């Protein structure tokens, strides 16, 4: 049953215990297929559609991102209102993982483009429903003094999964359909492990309120809060700055730098590993340092500036070497960003009792760039060439850092 929450946040233990590693495992489980899917879908469309690949990719990914945005907000709000003997979060975590894995597998199996669009939308919708509920585990179960560590576990898992996903995509580049069928089930395994090992108490006894249509619609509205808006905009800008480059990295290598598809896959695998290794180094220390300093904003601002700086060499002297340097420096910035961002987002929440909904809305800033990036990239490349992608990354990442710096409620 789904009802409206009205309870205060319960006191969370200061120690993470098994929740930390399991959060890392969950984020590894979904980031692996997500990272692999970007490259494998591009390769699959190139095999089947040839010159029509760019347009088809834009349609599929845009539809998926729109569903992801809606799924994040709706699932977050419904998770807060869920009353079941399995709790509020775990049913959405496991159910979303299963739906998402099935959607990506179907994307590889189906050959009719409209059906692929629907399947990929299911993948994105299920994934973001899972993440909306999983994100609420931090305010539900983690004390403020351990939020940085929890954020670092999640960020580290994401980075490891992204690296493995890049390698998996490279291995399956000549058989992308099979790759899309195989890779998504890691998220189901990770979600099942978390649900079984981190039991959630029944939510049947939590306060209830009649779930009228008006109340449900009102629950989907974002809070009217300056810092919330700045946090959303800052995250959106930083993620968009990376997305316009990384999401189109296969075409950057083949169409911009002139490498073959197989060689490009090898470069992407190497670049993804470089990004993950440097990111893991900064993520490992960033969360702990943030907890000890009691400060979030300076580290997030520094991370955004590192991402901007990474794009400068490619803009001035494009080549495989400078693009590899981009992966290294951007990885350092992104790791630092991931290690602190989740903690900052929890602390910027303006109210309690609807954490999954509000964190889900902030998570839209992770999904929305996938909608905007194809349009932005197409306009930039068509009008100004591939150089403009990296120039855009510089500007938008700096803008994201300035938004975070202007937040008042978080140090």
């Amino acid at each position: 049953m789904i009802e409206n929450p009205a309870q205060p946040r319960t006191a969370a233990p200061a120690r993470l215990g098994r929740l930390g590693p399991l959060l890392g495992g969950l984020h590894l489980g979904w980031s692996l297929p997500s990272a692999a899917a970007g490259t494998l879908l591009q390769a699959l469309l190139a095999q089947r559609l040839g010159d029509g690949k760019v347009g088809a990719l834009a349609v599929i990914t845009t539809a998926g991102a729109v569903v992801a945005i809606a799924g994040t907000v709706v699932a977050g709000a419904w998770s807060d209102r869920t009353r079941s003997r399995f709790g509020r979060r775990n049913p959405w975590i496991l159910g979303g993982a299963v739906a998402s894995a099935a959607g990506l597998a179907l994307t590889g199996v189906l050959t009719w483009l409209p059906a692929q669009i629907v399947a990929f939308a299911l993948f994105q919708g299920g994934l973001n429903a899972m993440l909306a509920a999983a994100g609420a585990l931090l305010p539900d179960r983690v004390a403020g003094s351990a939020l940085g560590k929890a954020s670092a576990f999640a960020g580290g898992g994401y980075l490891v999964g992204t690296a493995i996903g890049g390698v998996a995509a490279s291995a399956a580049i000549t058989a992308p359909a099979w790759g899309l069928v195989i890779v998504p089930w890691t998220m189901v395994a990770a979600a099942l492990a978390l649900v079984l090992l981190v039991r959630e108490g029944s939510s049947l006894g939590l306060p209830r309120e009649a779930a009228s249509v008006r109340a449900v619609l009102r629950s989907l509205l974002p809070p009217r809060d300056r810092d919330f808006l700045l946090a959303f905009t800052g995250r959106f800008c930083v993620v968009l700055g990376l997305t316009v480059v990384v999401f189109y990295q296969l075409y950057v290598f083949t169409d911009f730098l002139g490498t073959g598809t197989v060689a490009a896959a090898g470069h992407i695998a190497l670049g993804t590993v470089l990004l993950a290794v440097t990111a893991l180094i900064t993520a490992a220390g960033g969360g702990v340092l943030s907890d000890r300093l009691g400060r979030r904003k300076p580290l997030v601002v520094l991370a955004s500036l590192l991402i901007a700086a990474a794009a400068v060499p490619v803009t001035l002297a494009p080549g495989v070497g400078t693009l590899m340097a981009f992966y290294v420096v951007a990885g350092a910035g992104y790791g630092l960003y991931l290690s602190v961002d989740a903690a900052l987002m929890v602390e910027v929440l303006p109210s309690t009792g609807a954490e999954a909904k509000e964190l889900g809305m902030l998570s839209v800033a992770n999904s929305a760039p996938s909608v905007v990036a194809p349009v932005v990239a197409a306009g930039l490349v068509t009008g100004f060439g591939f150089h403009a992608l990296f120039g855009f990354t510089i500007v938008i990442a700096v803008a994201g850092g300035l938004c975070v710096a202007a937040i008042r409620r978080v140090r």
Side-chain angles (χ1 to χ4, degrees), residues 183-330:
V183 295
W185 302 101
T186 57
M187 79 175 91
V188 176
L192 186 62
L194 187 146
V195 167
L196 292 177
L197 296 177
V198 180
R199 297 294 181 93
E200 186 179 8
S202 171
S203 60
L204 291 173
L206 294 178
R208 303 167 181 262
E209 183 177 313
S212 65
V213 173
R214 182 177 180 180
V216 172
L217 292 176
R218 187 170 59 248
S219 73
L220 300 179
L221 296 175
R224 298 179 181 179
D225 183 85
R226 173 186 178 275
D227 283 352
F228 185 93
L229 179 60
L230 285 170
F232 178 94
T233 306
R235 175 184 268 187
F236 174 84
C237 289
V238 172
V239 175
L240 179 61
L242 278 176
T243 301
V244 294
V245 175
V246 175
F247 188 78
Y248 278 82
Q249 57 191 338
L250 180 62
Y251 298 156
V252 169
F253 277 108
T254 57
D255 297 2
F256 182 38
L257 301 182
T259 65
T261 300
V262 175
H267 292 320
I268 290 171
L270 175 59
T272 304
V273 170
L274 290 174
L275 187 149
V277 169
T278 55
L280 279 170
I281 293 171
T282 53
V288 175
L289 179 62
S290 176
D291 282 342
R292 289 183 178 177
L293 295 176
R295 300 176 70 89
R296 316 295 187 194
K297 292 197 302 183
L299 296 178
V300 176
V301 172
L302 175 59
S304 67
L305 295 178
L306 284 172
I307 292 170
V312 174
V314 190
T315 306
L316 299 177
V320 173
T322 52
L323 195 52
M324 290 300 159
F326 171 85
Y327 284 110
V328 172
V329 180

Side-chain angles (χ1 to χ4, degrees), residues 70-397:
T72 300
V73 177
V74 173
W78 283 13
S79 173
D80 288 327
R81 303 169 70 89
T82 296
R83 300 292 178 263
S84 79
R85 66 188 184 93
F86 302 107
R88 296 188 296 168
R89 315 302 182 194
N90 282 354
W92 290 91
I93 291 172
L94 184 57
V98 172
S100 181
L104 190 57
L106 287 172
T107 302
V109 170
L110 299 170
T111 57
W112 187 39
L113 183 59
Q116 280 186 305
I117 293 171
V118 174
F120 196 78
L122 176 62
F123 161 63
Q124 290 284 23
L127 171 60
N128 284 273
M130 180 192 77
L131 292 177
L137 292 176
L138 269 64
D140 283 355
R141 309 184 69 137
V142 179
S145 60
L147 281 173
K149 297 182 186 70
S151 183
F153 269 113
Y158 169 82
L159 292 167
V160 172
T162 299
I164 299 173
V167 175
S170 177
I173 196 69
T174 58
W178 280 107
L180 291 170
V181 170
I182 293 170
V183 295
W185 302 101
T186 57
M187 79 175 91
V188 176
L192 186 62
L194 187 146
V195 167
L196 292 177
L197 296 177
V198 180
R199 297 294 181 93
E200 186 179 8
S202 171
S203 60
L204 291 173
L206 294 178
R208 303 167 181 262
E209 183 177 313
S212 65
V213 173
R214 182 177 180 180
V216 172
L217 292 176
R218 187 170 59 248
S219 73
L220 300 179
L221 296 175
R224 298 179 181 179
D225 183 85
R226 173 186 178 275
D227 283 352
F228 185 93
L229 179 60
L230 285 170
F232 178 94
T233 306
R235 175 184 268 187
F236 174 84
C237 289
V238 172
V239 175
L240 179 61
L242 278 176
T243 301
V244 294
V245 175
V246 175
F247 188 78
Y248 278 82
Q249 57 191 338
L250 180 62
Y251 298 156
V252 169
F253 277 108
T254 57
D255 297 2
F256 182 38
L257 301 182
T259 65
T261 300
V262 175
H267 292 320
I268 290 171
L270 175 59
T272 304
V273 170
L274 290 174
L275 187 149
V277 169
T278 55
L280 279 170
I281 293 171
T282 53
V288 175
L289 179 62
S290 176
D291 282 342
R292 289 183 178 177
L293 295 176
R295 300 176 70 89
R296 316 295 187 194
K297 292 197 302 183
L299 296 178
V300 176
V301 172
L302 175 59
S304 67
L305 295 178
L306 284 172
I307 292 170
V312 174
V314 190
T315 306
L316 299 177
V320 173
T322 52
L323 195 52
M324 290 300 159
F326 171 85
Y327 284 110
V328 172
V329 180
Y334 197 44
L336 185 59
Y337 172 82
L338 288 173
S339 71
V340 184
D341 173 69
L344 185 146
M345 294 299 159
V346 170
E347 292 183 348
V348 84
L349 296 180
S351 63
T352 60
E355 288 87 359
K357 182 203 77 173
E358 291 167 357
L359 286 170
M361 289 178 175
L362 288 172
S363 294
V364 169
N366 286 329
S367 305
S370 297
V371 179
V372 177
V375 178
V376 171
L380 289 172
V381 172
T382 301
F384 307 100
F386 276 93
H387 291 83
L389 286 180
F390 298 92
F392 177 80
T393 294
I394 295 169
V395 173
I396 202 71

